[in-house]
């Protein structure tokens, strides 16, 4: 049996060492790239959060003013009263606008409810509509679909509801699903489903201006 040459053994060791060092350098570069990417992502997230907080606070302030201000949507719909929309701090009392809850306070004229649950169905609907319109006033939408939102309203509140929709028609097209004649009177177009033949439904549309002229 021949003994292994010492020089050959050292050569293998040096070669293995070079491979390990090269591998270590490659892994170190990868770790450095990952750490650099992590820092860039953290900075980007911080910038996005800062921008989101700024935009949210600005938009929230505008919506709050349009909802609960002296000439806000709530007072217009209810003919008075007080309302507000507030950010809720967490259990530790900290306020982060990106994580905070939102609380709505609504007090129609002559009432002092402690919570929204104490309002009637119509009052809850009017409060929700007032907040929705405050959002539209801040950030107008090209169209909106309102499905039977007037169902719990009495005639007086329906008239206020229709007048409010008319004030937004320049910026928003409202598609209102309703069975209430008062709401229909405020529409420009009305569409209905009829069944002239048994089992065959068809949609009929009428433009109110044309109907009025024909009448």
């Amino acid at each position: 049996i021949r003994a292994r040459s010492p020089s050959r053994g050292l050569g293998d060791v040096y070669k293995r060492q070079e491979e390990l060092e090269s591998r270590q350098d490659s892994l170190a570069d990868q770790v450095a790239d990952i750490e650099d990417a992590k820092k860039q992502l953290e900075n980007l997230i911080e910038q996005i959060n800062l921008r989101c907080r700024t935009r949210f606070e600005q938009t929230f302030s505008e919506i709050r003013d349009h909802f609960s201000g002296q000439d806000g949507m709530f007072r217009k719909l209810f003919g008075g009263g007080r309302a507000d929309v507030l950010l809720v701090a967490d259990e530790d009392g900290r306020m982060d606008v990106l994580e905070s809850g939102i609380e709505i306070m609504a007090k129609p004229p002559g009432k002092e409810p402690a919570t929204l649950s104490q309002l009637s169905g119509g009052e809850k609907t009017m409060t929700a509509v007032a907040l929705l319109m405050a959002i539209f006033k801040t950030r107008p939408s090209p169209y909106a679909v309102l499905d039977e939102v007037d169902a719990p309203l009495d005639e007086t509140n329906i008239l206020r509801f229709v007048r409010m929709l008319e004030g937004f028609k320049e910026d928003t097209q409202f598609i209102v699903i309703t069975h209430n004649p008062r709401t229909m009177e405020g529409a420009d177009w009305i569409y209905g489903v009829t069944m002239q033949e048994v089992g065959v439904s068809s949609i009929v549309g009428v433009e109110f201006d044309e109907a009025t002229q024909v009448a």
Side-chain angles (χ1 to χ4, degrees):
I1 300 175
R2 291 188 303 172
R4 195 174 193 182
S5 171
S7 59
R8 184 176 179 182
L10 289 175
D12 292 341
V13 171
Y14 291 147
K15 183 177 180 181
R16 180 58 177 167
Q17 181 179 359
E18 290 176 355
E19 292 176 352
L20 291 176
E21 289 176 349
S22 176
R23 178 64 175 166
Q24 195 274 337
D25 292 340
S26 176
L27 292 175
D29 291 339
Q30 294 181 38
V31 171
D33 289 342
I34 293 174
E35 290 178 346
D36 185 57
K38 177 184 176 182
K39 291 179 181 179
Q40 292 181 21
L41 284 175
E42 289 175 343
N43 291 334
L44 179 60
I45 291 172
E46 185 177 352
Q47 293 175 16
I48 291 175
N49 286 342
L50 178 61
R51 186 173 300 177
C52 287
R53 286 188 179 92
T54 301
R55 295 186 64 177
F56 180 87
E57 289 173 350
Q58 179 182 358
T59 303
F60 183 82
S61 177
E62 293 177 10
I63 292 174
R64 183 182 183 189
D65 183 59
H66 291 148
F67 173 66
S68 58
Q70 189 67 24
D71 298 322
M73 298 295 105
F74 185 88
R75 290 179 59 83
K76 286 183 178 180
L77 271 179
F78 282 90
R82 294 178 291 116
D84 207 348
V85 55
L86 306 168
L87 295 175
V88 180
D90 60 19
E91 296 178 354
D92 298 326
R94 293 176 297 185
M95 182 73 71
D96 184 350
V97 296
L98 299 182
E99 303 291 340
S100 300
I102 295 177
E103 181 178 354
I104 300 172
M105 182 271 288
K107 298 182 184 295
K111 289 191 174 184
E112 289 292 330
T115 62
L116 288 178
S117 61
Q118 295 177 346
L119 298 177
S120 67
E123 290 168 340
K124 292 177 183 177
T125 298
M126 295 281 278
T127 301
V129 170
L131 182 57
L132 176 64
M133 295 305 168
I135 295 173
F136 279 179
K137 196 171 181 65
T138 305
R139 293 289 186 272
S141 173
Y143 68 90
V145 179
L146 304 177
D147 187 1
E148 297 283 1
V149 297
D150 57 351
L153 304 182
D154 57 26
E155 186 167 342
T156 300
N157 287 330
I158 283 179
L159 293 177
R160 290 175 178 169
F161 168 70
V162 172
R163 284 197 298 267
M164 175 165 286
L165 294 185
E166 290 176 349
F168 283 82
K169 290 198 303 185
E170 293 294 328
D171 298 314
T172 303
Q173 180 179 7
F174 290 97
I175 302 171
V176 182
I177 302 171
T178 181
H179 291 88
N180 191 288
R182 293 295 186 186
T183 304
M184 296 179 191
E185 289 176 2
D188 296 323
W189 278 83
I190 182 170
Y191 294 89
V193 179
T194 182
M195 187 180 294
Q196 296 178 348
E197 299 180 27
V198 177
V200 180
S201 299
S202 58
I203 298 176
V204 178
V206 177
E207 186 175 4
F208 269 21
D209 289 343
E210 292 183 358
T212 302
Q213 292 173 4
V214 172

